Short mmCIF file of all heavy atoms in Angstrom, two decimals:
data_model
loop_
_atom_site.label_atom_id
_atom_site.label_comp_id
_atom_site.label_asym_id
_atom_site.label_seq_id
_atom_site.Cartn_x
_atom_site.Cartn_y
_atom_site.Cartn_z
N MET A 8 86.99 -83.86 -6.01
CA MET A 8 86.14 -84.96 -6.40
C MET A 8 85.80 -84.93 -7.87
O MET A 8 85.43 -85.98 -8.40
CB MET A 8 84.86 -84.97 -5.58
CG MET A 8 85.11 -85.33 -4.19
SD MET A 8 85.74 -86.93 -4.10
CE MET A 8 84.67 -87.81 -3.14
N GLU A 9 85.85 -83.76 -8.43
CA GLU A 9 85.48 -83.76 -9.92
C GLU A 9 86.59 -84.51 -10.81
O GLU A 9 86.14 -85.09 -11.82
CB GLU A 9 85.59 -82.21 -10.35
CG GLU A 9 84.88 -82.01 -11.68
CD GLU A 9 83.42 -82.23 -11.70
OE1 GLU A 9 82.79 -82.07 -10.69
OE2 GLU A 9 82.93 -82.65 -12.79
N TRP A 10 87.77 -84.62 -10.31
CA TRP A 10 88.79 -85.36 -11.11
C TRP A 10 88.49 -86.86 -11.05
O TRP A 10 88.82 -87.52 -11.99
CB TRP A 10 90.21 -85.06 -10.59
CG TRP A 10 90.38 -85.47 -9.19
CD1 TRP A 10 90.10 -84.80 -8.01
CD2 TRP A 10 90.90 -86.72 -8.72
NE1 TRP A 10 90.46 -85.59 -6.89
CE2 TRP A 10 90.93 -86.73 -7.31
CE3 TRP A 10 91.37 -87.88 -9.40
CZ2 TRP A 10 91.36 -87.86 -6.57
CZ3 TRP A 10 91.83 -88.94 -8.66
CH2 TRP A 10 91.83 -88.94 -7.28
N ILE A 11 87.86 -87.31 -10.09
CA ILE A 11 87.42 -88.71 -9.97
C ILE A 11 86.42 -89.03 -11.13
O ILE A 11 86.52 -90.05 -11.78
CB ILE A 11 86.95 -89.13 -8.59
CG1 ILE A 11 88.07 -89.07 -7.57
CG2 ILE A 11 86.36 -90.55 -8.66
CD1 ILE A 11 87.69 -89.32 -6.19
N LYS A 12 85.50 -88.14 -11.28
CA LYS A 12 84.45 -88.39 -12.31
C LYS A 12 85.09 -88.26 -13.77
O LYS A 12 84.77 -89.14 -14.57
CB LYS A 12 83.36 -87.21 -12.23
CG LYS A 12 82.59 -87.35 -11.01
CD LYS A 12 81.56 -86.18 -10.93
CE LYS A 12 80.84 -86.18 -9.67
NZ LYS A 12 79.87 -84.97 -9.57
N ILE A 13 86.05 -87.41 -13.92
CA ILE A 13 86.74 -87.33 -15.20
C ILE A 13 87.50 -88.60 -15.42
O ILE A 13 87.55 -89.13 -16.55
CB ILE A 13 87.56 -86.05 -15.26
CG1 ILE A 13 86.65 -84.86 -15.23
CG2 ILE A 13 88.48 -86.04 -16.46
CD1 ILE A 13 87.36 -83.50 -15.14
N LEU A 14 88.19 -89.05 -14.45
CA LEU A 14 89.07 -90.27 -14.54
C LEU A 14 88.16 -91.50 -14.86
O LEU A 14 88.47 -92.32 -15.66
CB LEU A 14 89.84 -90.49 -13.29
CG LEU A 14 90.87 -91.65 -13.28
CD1 LEU A 14 91.88 -91.48 -14.35
CD2 LEU A 14 91.49 -91.76 -11.92
N ALA A 15 87.01 -91.60 -14.14
CA ALA A 15 86.07 -92.66 -14.37
C ALA A 15 85.51 -92.68 -15.79
O ALA A 15 85.37 -93.69 -16.49
CB ALA A 15 84.98 -92.69 -13.36
N LEU A 16 85.19 -91.51 -16.33
CA LEU A 16 84.66 -91.34 -17.67
C LEU A 16 85.77 -91.73 -18.69
O LEU A 16 85.43 -92.43 -19.67
CB LEU A 16 84.23 -89.94 -17.92
CG LEU A 16 83.70 -89.61 -19.35
CD1 LEU A 16 82.40 -90.46 -19.62
CD2 LEU A 16 83.42 -88.13 -19.43
N ALA A 17 86.96 -91.33 -18.43
CA ALA A 17 88.08 -91.65 -19.36
C ALA A 17 88.33 -93.14 -19.39
O ALA A 17 88.51 -93.76 -20.44
CB ALA A 17 89.35 -90.93 -18.99
N ALA A 18 88.22 -93.76 -18.28
CA ALA A 18 88.34 -95.23 -18.15
C ALA A 18 87.30 -95.99 -18.84
O ALA A 18 87.54 -96.96 -19.57
CB ALA A 18 88.49 -95.71 -16.66
N MET A 19 86.04 -95.43 -18.77
CA MET A 19 84.92 -96.11 -19.47
C MET A 19 85.04 -95.96 -20.92
O MET A 19 84.86 -96.90 -21.72
CB MET A 19 83.64 -95.41 -19.01
CG MET A 19 82.42 -96.14 -19.45
SD MET A 19 80.86 -95.60 -18.73
CE MET A 19 80.94 -93.83 -19.08
N VAL A 20 85.44 -94.77 -21.41
CA VAL A 20 85.69 -94.55 -22.89
C VAL A 20 86.77 -95.46 -23.35
O VAL A 20 86.60 -96.11 -24.52
CB VAL A 20 85.97 -93.05 -23.15
CG1 VAL A 20 86.47 -92.85 -24.55
CG2 VAL A 20 84.79 -92.20 -22.83
N TYR A 21 87.87 -95.62 -22.65
CA TYR A 21 88.98 -96.51 -23.10
C TYR A 21 88.44 -97.94 -23.15
O TYR A 21 88.78 -98.66 -24.00
CB TYR A 21 90.16 -96.41 -22.11
CG TYR A 21 91.22 -97.39 -22.55
CD1 TYR A 21 92.03 -97.18 -23.56
CD2 TYR A 21 91.40 -98.58 -21.70
CE1 TYR A 21 92.99 -98.13 -23.93
CE2 TYR A 21 92.33 -99.50 -22.05
CZ TYR A 21 93.14 -99.24 -23.19
OH TYR A 21 94.06 -100.20 -23.51
N GLY A 22 87.65 -98.38 -22.15
CA GLY A 22 87.09 -99.74 -22.15
C GLY A 22 86.23 -100.08 -23.35
O GLY A 22 86.33 -101.11 -23.99
N VAL A 23 85.42 -99.12 -23.73
CA VAL A 23 84.59 -99.24 -24.91
C VAL A 23 85.42 -99.33 -26.21
O VAL A 23 85.16 -100.17 -27.06
CB VAL A 23 83.55 -98.12 -24.99
CG1 VAL A 23 82.82 -98.06 -26.33
CG2 VAL A 23 82.50 -98.17 -23.83
N TRP A 24 86.35 -98.38 -26.30
CA TRP A 24 87.28 -98.41 -27.45
C TRP A 24 88.01 -99.69 -27.58
O TRP A 24 88.16 -100.30 -28.67
CB TRP A 24 88.21 -97.14 -27.30
CG TRP A 24 89.25 -97.15 -28.46
CD1 TRP A 24 88.99 -96.77 -29.72
CD2 TRP A 24 90.57 -97.61 -28.39
NE1 TRP A 24 90.15 -96.85 -30.49
CE2 TRP A 24 91.10 -97.42 -29.67
CE3 TRP A 24 91.33 -98.22 -27.36
CZ2 TRP A 24 92.41 -97.77 -29.99
CZ3 TRP A 24 92.60 -98.53 -27.65
CH2 TRP A 24 93.18 -98.36 -28.93
N ALA A 25 88.60 -100.20 -26.43
CA ALA A 25 89.30 -101.38 -26.51
C ALA A 25 88.51 -102.64 -26.86
O ALA A 25 88.93 -103.54 -27.61
CB ALA A 25 90.03 -101.64 -25.13
N THR A 26 87.30 -102.69 -26.39
CA THR A 26 86.36 -103.81 -26.75
C THR A 26 86.07 -103.74 -28.24
O THR A 26 86.05 -104.80 -28.87
CB THR A 26 85.04 -103.64 -25.92
OG1 THR A 26 85.41 -103.74 -24.55
CG2 THR A 26 84.09 -104.79 -26.28
N TYR A 27 85.77 -102.55 -28.80
CA TYR A 27 85.45 -102.41 -30.17
C TYR A 27 86.59 -102.75 -31.05
O TYR A 27 86.52 -103.50 -32.05
CB TYR A 27 84.99 -100.99 -30.54
CG TYR A 27 84.50 -100.85 -31.90
CD1 TYR A 27 83.25 -101.34 -32.29
CD2 TYR A 27 85.25 -100.23 -32.93
CE1 TYR A 27 82.83 -101.18 -33.62
CE2 TYR A 27 84.88 -100.12 -34.22
CZ TYR A 27 83.61 -100.59 -34.53
OH TYR A 27 83.18 -100.44 -35.83
N LYS A 28 87.80 -102.39 -30.62
CA LYS A 28 89.02 -102.63 -31.39
C LYS A 28 89.36 -104.13 -31.39
O LYS A 28 89.83 -104.73 -32.37
CB LYS A 28 90.18 -101.91 -30.75
CG LYS A 28 91.42 -101.91 -31.47
CD LYS A 28 91.44 -100.93 -32.59
CE LYS A 28 92.78 -100.72 -33.15
NZ LYS A 28 92.78 -100.19 -34.44
N ALA A 29 88.98 -104.88 -30.25
CA ALA A 29 89.24 -106.31 -30.21
C ALA A 29 88.31 -107.15 -31.10
O ALA A 29 88.57 -108.33 -31.37
CB ALA A 29 89.04 -106.79 -28.76
N LEU A 30 87.30 -106.49 -31.71
CA LEU A 30 86.41 -107.20 -32.55
C LEU A 30 87.05 -107.58 -33.90
O LEU A 30 86.59 -108.44 -34.62
CB LEU A 30 85.11 -106.37 -32.87
CG LEU A 30 84.18 -106.25 -31.71
CD1 LEU A 30 83.01 -105.21 -32.12
CD2 LEU A 30 83.52 -107.61 -31.31
N GLY A 31 88.09 -106.87 -34.23
CA GLY A 31 88.81 -107.12 -35.50
C GLY A 31 88.28 -106.26 -36.67
O GLY A 31 87.50 -105.31 -36.46
N THR A 32 88.70 -106.65 -37.86
CA THR A 32 88.33 -105.89 -39.05
C THR A 32 86.98 -106.37 -39.57
O THR A 32 86.83 -107.53 -39.86
CB THR A 32 89.41 -106.04 -40.15
OG1 THR A 32 90.61 -105.62 -39.62
CG2 THR A 32 89.08 -105.14 -41.41
N PRO A 33 86.01 -105.52 -39.70
CA PRO A 33 84.66 -105.96 -40.07
C PRO A 33 84.60 -106.17 -41.61
O PRO A 33 85.39 -105.60 -42.41
CB PRO A 33 83.77 -104.77 -39.77
CG PRO A 33 84.66 -103.58 -39.80
CD PRO A 33 86.05 -104.04 -39.35
N VAL A 34 83.67 -107.06 -42.04
CA VAL A 34 83.31 -107.27 -43.41
C VAL A 34 82.04 -106.40 -43.62
O VAL A 34 81.06 -106.54 -42.92
CB VAL A 34 83.02 -108.75 -43.67
CG1 VAL A 34 82.50 -108.91 -45.08
CG2 VAL A 34 84.28 -109.48 -43.48
N ARG A 35 82.01 -105.57 -44.68
CA ARG A 35 80.88 -104.77 -44.99
C ARG A 35 80.02 -105.44 -46.07
O ARG A 35 80.54 -105.92 -47.02
CB ARG A 35 81.29 -103.35 -45.48
CG ARG A 35 81.98 -102.50 -44.39
CD ARG A 35 82.18 -101.12 -44.73
NE ARG A 35 80.95 -100.47 -45.05
CZ ARG A 35 80.26 -99.66 -44.24
NH1 ARG A 35 80.75 -99.36 -43.14
NH2 ARG A 35 79.14 -99.10 -44.67
N TYR A 36 78.73 -105.50 -45.85
CA TYR A 36 77.80 -106.04 -46.79
C TYR A 36 76.51 -105.34 -46.62
O TYR A 36 75.84 -105.26 -45.58
CB TYR A 36 77.58 -107.53 -46.45
CG TYR A 36 76.57 -108.21 -47.40
CD1 TYR A 36 76.94 -108.42 -48.74
CD2 TYR A 36 75.35 -108.69 -46.92
CE1 TYR A 36 76.04 -109.02 -49.66
CE2 TYR A 36 74.51 -109.35 -47.82
CZ TYR A 36 74.82 -109.47 -49.16
OH TYR A 36 73.93 -110.06 -49.99
N GLN A 37 76.10 -104.64 -47.75
CA GLN A 37 74.86 -103.93 -47.83
C GLN A 37 74.73 -102.86 -46.70
O GLN A 37 73.73 -102.67 -46.08
CB GLN A 37 73.61 -104.89 -47.82
CG GLN A 37 73.55 -105.75 -49.04
CD GLN A 37 72.27 -106.60 -49.06
OE1 GLN A 37 71.58 -106.59 -48.10
NE2 GLN A 37 72.01 -107.17 -50.16
N GLY A 38 75.88 -102.27 -46.52
CA GLY A 38 75.87 -101.10 -45.49
C GLY A 38 75.94 -101.52 -44.08
O GLY A 38 75.96 -100.67 -43.17
N HIS A 39 76.11 -102.79 -43.76
CA HIS A 39 76.21 -103.29 -42.38
C HIS A 39 77.62 -103.87 -42.19
O HIS A 39 78.28 -104.36 -43.12
CB HIS A 39 75.22 -104.37 -42.14
CG HIS A 39 73.79 -103.95 -42.26
ND1 HIS A 39 73.18 -103.08 -41.37
CD2 HIS A 39 72.92 -104.14 -43.27
CE1 HIS A 39 71.96 -102.90 -41.77
NE2 HIS A 39 71.72 -103.48 -42.90
N ARG A 40 78.08 -103.83 -40.95
CA ARG A 40 79.39 -104.37 -40.61
C ARG A 40 79.18 -105.73 -39.84
O ARG A 40 78.40 -105.82 -38.93
CB ARG A 40 80.14 -103.45 -39.68
CG ARG A 40 80.57 -102.17 -40.33
CD ARG A 40 81.37 -101.35 -39.42
NE ARG A 40 81.84 -100.08 -40.06
CZ ARG A 40 81.32 -98.95 -39.80
NH1 ARG A 40 80.41 -98.79 -38.84
NH2 ARG A 40 81.77 -97.88 -40.42
N TYR A 41 79.90 -106.74 -40.32
CA TYR A 41 79.86 -108.02 -39.71
C TYR A 41 81.25 -108.39 -39.29
O TYR A 41 82.17 -108.37 -40.10
CB TYR A 41 79.34 -109.11 -40.70
CG TYR A 41 77.96 -108.79 -41.24
CD1 TYR A 41 77.70 -108.02 -42.30
CD2 TYR A 41 76.81 -109.29 -40.50
CE1 TYR A 41 76.39 -107.75 -42.76
CE2 TYR A 41 75.54 -109.08 -40.86
CZ TYR A 41 75.31 -108.28 -42.00
OH TYR A 41 74.00 -108.04 -42.41
N PHE A 42 81.38 -108.82 -38.07
CA PHE A 42 82.76 -109.11 -37.59
C PHE A 42 82.93 -110.67 -37.46
O PHE A 42 82.06 -111.39 -37.07
CB PHE A 42 82.87 -108.56 -36.08
CG PHE A 42 82.89 -107.04 -36.08
CD1 PHE A 42 81.76 -106.34 -35.93
CD2 PHE A 42 84.11 -106.38 -36.18
CE1 PHE A 42 81.73 -104.90 -36.01
CE2 PHE A 42 84.14 -104.94 -36.21
CZ PHE A 42 82.95 -104.25 -36.10
N PRO A 43 84.14 -111.08 -37.95
CA PRO A 43 84.39 -112.55 -37.98
C PRO A 43 84.55 -113.08 -36.59
O PRO A 43 85.06 -112.48 -35.66
CB PRO A 43 85.68 -112.64 -38.79
CG PRO A 43 86.35 -111.31 -38.69
CD PRO A 43 85.23 -110.33 -38.47
N GLN A 44 83.96 -114.27 -36.46
CA GLN A 44 84.09 -115.03 -35.18
C GLN A 44 85.09 -116.21 -35.36
O GLN A 44 85.44 -116.59 -36.41
CB GLN A 44 82.71 -115.55 -34.73
CG GLN A 44 81.64 -114.43 -34.59
CD GLN A 44 82.03 -113.39 -33.54
OE1 GLN A 44 82.19 -113.84 -32.37
NE2 GLN A 44 82.17 -112.19 -33.89
N SER A 45 85.49 -116.84 -34.21
CA SER A 45 86.47 -117.88 -34.26
C SER A 45 86.00 -119.15 -34.93
O SER A 45 86.73 -119.95 -35.46
CB SER A 45 86.93 -118.16 -32.88
OG SER A 45 85.90 -118.59 -32.03
N ASP A 46 84.65 -119.35 -34.96
CA ASP A 46 84.09 -120.53 -35.61
C ASP A 46 83.78 -120.38 -37.11
O ASP A 46 83.16 -121.24 -37.72
CB ASP A 46 82.79 -121.06 -34.88
CG ASP A 46 81.71 -119.97 -34.88
OD1 ASP A 46 81.89 -118.86 -35.44
OD2 ASP A 46 80.64 -120.34 -34.40
N GLY A 47 84.16 -119.27 -37.63
CA GLY A 47 83.97 -119.00 -39.09
C GLY A 47 82.68 -118.30 -39.47
O GLY A 47 82.45 -118.03 -40.60
N THR A 48 81.81 -117.99 -38.45
CA THR A 48 80.66 -117.24 -38.79
C THR A 48 80.93 -115.75 -38.55
O THR A 48 82.04 -115.37 -38.17
CB THR A 48 79.48 -117.71 -37.80
OG1 THR A 48 79.93 -117.51 -36.43
CG2 THR A 48 79.16 -119.10 -38.03
N PHE A 49 79.94 -114.93 -38.75
CA PHE A 49 80.07 -113.53 -38.58
C PHE A 49 78.94 -113.04 -37.70
O PHE A 49 77.88 -113.59 -37.62
CB PHE A 49 79.95 -112.79 -40.00
CG PHE A 49 81.15 -113.10 -40.84
CD1 PHE A 49 81.17 -114.24 -41.57
CD2 PHE A 49 82.20 -112.28 -40.87
CE1 PHE A 49 82.29 -114.53 -42.41
CE2 PHE A 49 83.32 -112.55 -41.63
CZ PHE A 49 83.31 -113.68 -42.41
N GLN A 50 79.19 -111.93 -36.95
CA GLN A 50 78.24 -111.36 -36.04
C GLN A 50 78.27 -109.82 -36.08
O GLN A 50 79.37 -109.22 -36.36
CB GLN A 50 78.57 -111.87 -34.57
CG GLN A 50 77.40 -111.80 -33.73
CD GLN A 50 77.67 -112.65 -32.45
OE1 GLN A 50 78.76 -113.01 -32.17
NE2 GLN A 50 76.62 -112.84 -31.67
N ARG A 51 77.18 -109.18 -35.82
CA ARG A 51 77.16 -107.78 -35.76
C ARG A 51 77.79 -107.28 -34.47
O ARG A 51 78.05 -108.02 -33.59
CB ARG A 51 75.64 -107.26 -35.78
CG ARG A 51 74.87 -107.71 -36.94
CD ARG A 51 75.34 -106.98 -38.23
NE ARG A 51 75.36 -105.55 -38.20
CZ ARG A 51 74.31 -104.77 -38.41
NH1 ARG A 51 73.23 -105.26 -38.76
NH2 ARG A 51 74.52 -103.43 -38.31
N TRP A 52 78.12 -106.00 -34.42
CA TRP A 52 78.86 -105.48 -33.22
C TRP A 52 78.16 -105.63 -31.95
O TRP A 52 78.70 -105.71 -30.86
CB TRP A 52 79.21 -103.97 -33.53
CG TRP A 52 78.03 -103.08 -33.60
CD1 TRP A 52 77.33 -102.76 -34.69
CD2 TRP A 52 77.39 -102.35 -32.50
NE1 TRP A 52 76.34 -101.89 -34.36
CE2 TRP A 52 76.40 -101.67 -33.02
CE3 TRP A 52 77.64 -102.25 -31.15
CZ2 TRP A 52 75.49 -100.85 -32.22
CZ3 TRP A 52 76.87 -101.45 -30.38
CH2 TRP A 52 75.84 -100.76 -30.92
N TYR A 53 76.75 -105.58 -31.99
CA TYR A 53 75.96 -105.65 -30.75
C TYR A 53 75.70 -107.07 -30.33
O TYR A 53 74.94 -107.32 -29.39
CB TYR A 53 74.75 -104.84 -30.90
CG TYR A 53 73.87 -105.24 -32.09
CD1 TYR A 53 73.10 -106.35 -32.17
CD2 TYR A 53 73.96 -104.50 -33.30
CE1 TYR A 53 72.34 -106.72 -33.24
CE2 TYR A 53 73.25 -104.84 -34.40
CZ TYR A 53 72.46 -105.96 -34.38
OH TYR A 53 71.71 -106.35 -35.47
N GLY A 54 76.17 -108.05 -31.05
CA GLY A 54 75.79 -109.44 -30.77
C GLY A 54 74.71 -109.98 -31.70
O GLY A 54 74.88 -109.81 -32.93
N GLY A 55 73.67 -110.47 -31.11
CA GLY A 55 72.62 -110.99 -32.01
C GLY A 55 72.99 -112.39 -32.54
O GLY A 55 73.90 -112.95 -32.10
N ARG A 56 72.29 -112.73 -33.60
CA ARG A 56 72.48 -114.06 -34.17
C ARG A 56 73.76 -114.07 -35.01
O ARG A 56 74.19 -113.01 -35.49
CB ARG A 56 71.25 -114.53 -34.91
CG ARG A 56 71.14 -113.89 -36.30
CD ARG A 56 69.89 -114.50 -36.99
NE ARG A 56 69.81 -114.03 -38.39
CZ ARG A 56 70.34 -114.65 -39.41
NH1 ARG A 56 71.10 -115.74 -39.13
NH2 ARG A 56 70.25 -114.18 -40.60
N ARG A 57 74.29 -115.26 -35.20
CA ARG A 57 75.40 -115.38 -36.09
C ARG A 57 74.99 -115.60 -37.54
O ARG A 57 73.96 -116.14 -37.83
CB ARG A 57 76.27 -116.57 -35.58
CG ARG A 57 76.90 -116.37 -34.25
CD ARG A 57 77.66 -117.53 -33.79
NE ARG A 57 78.21 -117.33 -32.47
CZ ARG A 57 79.43 -116.93 -32.21
NH1 ARG A 57 80.29 -116.68 -33.17
NH2 ARG A 57 79.86 -116.76 -31.01
N PHE A 58 75.80 -115.10 -38.47
CA PHE A 58 75.52 -115.23 -39.90
C PHE A 58 76.57 -116.07 -40.51
O PHE A 58 77.75 -116.01 -40.31
CB PHE A 58 75.61 -113.77 -40.53
CG PHE A 58 74.55 -112.86 -39.98
CD1 PHE A 58 74.65 -112.05 -38.87
CD2 PHE A 58 73.32 -112.78 -40.68
CE1 PHE A 58 73.78 -111.19 -38.42
CE2 PHE A 58 72.31 -111.91 -40.26
CZ PHE A 58 72.57 -111.16 -39.08
N ALA A 59 76.12 -116.98 -41.40
CA ALA A 59 76.98 -117.76 -42.22
C ALA A 59 77.62 -116.95 -43.26
O ALA A 59 77.06 -115.93 -43.71
CB ALA A 59 76.18 -118.92 -42.86
N PRO A 60 78.78 -117.30 -43.76
CA PRO A 60 79.48 -116.45 -44.78
C PRO A 60 78.55 -116.28 -46.06
O PRO A 60 78.60 -115.27 -46.64
CB PRO A 60 80.71 -117.25 -45.11
CG PRO A 60 81.02 -118.06 -43.85
CD PRO A 60 79.72 -118.38 -43.26
N SER A 61 77.84 -117.30 -46.36
CA SER A 61 76.96 -117.21 -47.58
C SER A 61 75.86 -116.20 -47.41
O SER A 61 75.33 -115.65 -48.36
CB SER A 61 76.37 -118.60 -47.91
OG SER A 61 75.56 -119.08 -46.86
N GLU A 62 75.45 -115.93 -46.14
CA GLU A 62 74.40 -114.96 -45.94
C GLU A 62 74.81 -113.54 -46.08
O GLU A 62 74.04 -112.69 -46.28
CB GLU A 62 73.88 -115.18 -44.44
CG GLU A 62 73.08 -116.34 -44.21
CD GLU A 62 72.62 -116.49 -42.75
OE1 GLU A 62 73.42 -116.80 -41.93
OE2 GLU A 62 71.43 -116.10 -42.55
N ILE A 63 76.13 -113.29 -45.98
CA ILE A 63 76.67 -111.90 -46.11
C ILE A 63 77.46 -111.78 -47.42
O ILE A 63 78.25 -110.90 -47.56
CB ILE A 63 77.46 -111.45 -44.91
CG1 ILE A 63 78.69 -112.36 -44.69
CG2 ILE A 63 76.64 -111.44 -43.69
CD1 ILE A 63 79.67 -111.80 -43.68
N GLY A 64 77.15 -112.61 -48.36
CA GLY A 64 77.71 -112.40 -49.69
C GLY A 64 79.09 -112.94 -49.89
O GLY A 64 79.77 -112.59 -50.90
N MET A 65 79.57 -113.80 -49.01
CA MET A 65 80.94 -114.38 -49.18
C MET A 65 80.74 -115.81 -49.66
O MET A 65 79.81 -116.53 -49.26
CB MET A 65 81.65 -114.36 -47.85
CG MET A 65 81.94 -112.99 -47.31
SD MET A 65 82.90 -113.06 -45.79
CE MET A 65 84.46 -113.54 -46.39
N VAL A 66 81.67 -116.31 -50.43
CA VAL A 66 81.64 -117.65 -50.87
C VAL A 66 82.25 -118.51 -49.81
O VAL A 66 83.29 -118.25 -49.24
CB VAL A 66 82.51 -117.79 -52.15
CG1 VAL A 66 82.52 -119.22 -52.66
CG2 VAL A 66 81.89 -116.88 -53.25
N ASP A 67 81.55 -119.67 -49.45
CA ASP A 67 82.08 -120.61 -48.50
C ASP A 67 83.37 -121.30 -49.08
O ASP A 67 83.40 -121.69 -50.21
CB ASP A 67 81.06 -121.67 -48.16
CG ASP A 67 79.95 -121.13 -47.34
OD1 ASP A 67 80.18 -120.28 -46.52
OD2 ASP A 67 78.81 -121.57 -47.52
N PRO A 68 84.41 -121.36 -48.21
CA PRO A 68 85.61 -122.00 -48.64
C PRO A 68 85.35 -123.52 -48.93
O PRO A 68 84.77 -124.17 -48.12
CB PRO A 68 86.60 -121.81 -47.52
CG PRO A 68 85.84 -121.47 -46.37
CD PRO A 68 84.52 -120.92 -46.87
N GLY A 69 85.79 -123.95 -50.16
CA GLY A 69 85.70 -125.31 -50.67
C GLY A 69 85.24 -126.32 -49.71
O GLY A 69 84.88 -127.30 -49.62
#
């Protein structure tokens, strides 16, 4: 039964890793990581509110 616990833990770790990897490449601003969203905004890894590009030091495209 111990192997089931180890297998479940490995599956959980893989799920967390895959979710984090799917966020894409973060933009760093003042020591924080902001991940790009499909609508052009940015969001922290834990969710929360969305940030406009101008809020994280990026110039809005023309």
Side-chain angles (χ1 to χ4, degrees):
M8 287 302 240
E9 194 67 28
W10 63 273
I11 292 176
K12 293 178 186 177
I13 294 171
L14 185 63
L16 180 64
M19 188 171 56
V20 167
Y21 175 75
V23 169
W24 176 79
T26 301
Y27 187 77
K28 190 79 169 161
L30 290 173
T32 304
V34 173
R35 293 189 60 103
Y36 179 67
Q37 294 184 348
H39 300 287
R40 291 184 179 108
Y41 298 90
F42 292 90
Q44 304 296 304
S45 59
D46 63 354
T48 59
F49 292 84
Q50 202 167 11
R51 300 291 307 274
W52 65 271
Y53 53 80
R56 74 177 189 89
R57 294 179 183 261
F58 294 87
S61 60
E62 291 181 280
I63 60 170
M65 297 183 71
V66 178
D67 287 325

